[in-house]
Amino acid sequence: MADKKTIKIKQIGSPIRRPENQRKILIGLGLNKMHKVVELQDTPEVRGAIKKVPHMVEIVEG
């Protein structure tokens, strides 16, 4: 199998006082605590979820 591209995402915003759908997006990305970093496959679905909560996550380089 070819190498699959991955993307590292870090949670920088708190889900407190945010709409329920934004909380569910964070959970779907595997984020539930501040400053947690997860590595996911770089797919259109993941990119779309990131675009729904850009104020709460950032893409980590490296």
Side-chain angles (χ1 to χ4, degrees):
M1 258 188 179
D3 290 326
K4 301 215 176 185
K5 292 186 179 183
T6 59
I7 185 169
K8 285 187 179 180
I9 306 165
K10 179 178 181 180
Q11 182 177 343
I12 59 169
S14 173
I16 296 173
R17 298 188 66 185
R18 299 287 182 184
E20 185 66 27
N21 62 340
Q22 291 182 2
R23 294 182 198 183
K24 289 181 180 180
I25 290 170
L26 284 178
I27 292 169
L29 289 172
L31 299 169
N32 58 356
K33 293 185 179 178
M34 292 289 293
H35 308 293
K36 183 174 179 178
V37 178
V38 295
E39 189 169 354
L40 301 171
Q41 289 185 5
D42 191 3
T43 63
E45 293 83 3
V46 171
R47 289 281 180 169
I50 293 169
K51 286 183 181 178
K52 294 246 180 190
V53 288
H55 53 287
M56 296 171 65
V57 298
E58 72 178 4
I59 298 174
V60 179
E61 296 295 326

